[in-house]
Amino acid sequence: MNETRRSERAGMLAVALTALLWGTSGTAAAMAPELSAVTVGAVAMCGGGLLQAAVNARGIRAAWSSVTAQWRVALLGGICVMIYPLCFFGSMRVGGVALGTVVSLASAPLFSAVIERVADGRRLTLRWTIACALGIVGSAALALSRSESSHGDTLSGSQSAAVGVGLGLLAGITYAGLSWAMRRLMNRSVPRGAAAGTVMGLGGLLLLPVVAVGVPSVIAHPETLGVLAYLVLVPQFLGYVLFSRGLGRIDSSTATTITLIEPAVATALAVGVLAEPITAVGWVGIALLATALLVLLAPRLPASTGPASTSVEAESSTGRSTHEAVPRGRRGA
């Protein structure tokens, strides 16, 4: 059990590092104001996804029979990868940064829990429930603290708020969906690298038409290429490499909960690099997000005696059921 818990913590730390990298995206994108948010998001996700597929091409070929056997899951994940950046950045553009951030990121763990409950029959643990609640409240506090300094091409009135909420919910469910799809492939005998490369690569291919629309604006502003290269290589490529490593050890609902620390990182960078102000409410939000991470990483209390409690504890600590164990010794990038 101690070894299992150490493996789970390693997965959580990998996802936490992912959130640190993802948290730099907003500050980096601010360095390219000439490009629309949708163009930046599409180019970053498309480039990162195709690079994932290229690096893991050998693993994908080796696991092709397992991938094709789960083609519906892989296609669902690819579609989610395509939709997620468009809805996420679109929500912030239409409804404002505060609204888009809260609805998109805070809804993802809830959608992940629902997906795992319906598709996998998983039960929610008290630890996850507490961490998720802290993360959602912390994200909301951060969004409120930054709402006065947020600006952009937002619409006015209740219609823009409704559209922003709708896009944010789509971003949350597609982020949860791509996380679940990668995890599901890993649980069904697809090596981690091949699973990530397949899902991200499909999403990258599906995003190519959107990228093509944004190419003229990129060509018109070649100074933005450095920003785009960073977004492709660091948050999207390296970030999803670490994210897939974490998903190999923990369930998708826990992973999406941990990535709620992303807005805390984004806020810290906005304060330190972009000189944006942060209120006391914002610092409270950061503290709540840090507490949520500590709740997930805290040592597990000894399980109560009895075979039923032991079974539940084992499943929650490994993030997988006994009949969905990830095969060992099959690695990817």
Side-chain angles (χ1 to χ4, degrees), residues 136-193:
I136 290 174
V137 174
S139 295
L142 269 178
L144 289 173
S145 74
R146 300 186 65 185
S147 60
E148 294 183 358
S149 61
S150 298
H151 59 278
D153 302 331
T154 59
L155 301 176
S156 60
S158 60
Q159 183 178 4
S160 65
V163 173
V165 169
L167 289 173
L169 290 174
L170 282 174
I173 195 170
T174 50
Y175 172 41
L178 72 90
S179 302
W180 175 83
M182 282 195 284
R183 173 71 181 177
R184 180 77 165 200
L185 290 175
M186 295 177 200
N187 285 340
R188 296 300 172 86
S189 301
V190 178
R192 178 188 53 77

Side-chain angles (χ1 to χ4, degrees), residues 35-36 38-39 42-43 86 207-219:
L35 302 180
S36 70
V38 172
T39 296
V43 170
L86 306 181
L207 277 169
L208 284 175
V210 183
V211 173
V213 173
V215 165
S217 60
V218 176
I219 294 176

Side-chain angles (χ1 to χ4, degrees), residues 29-36 224:
M31 305 298 180
E34 302 84 359
L35 302 180
S36 70
T224 63

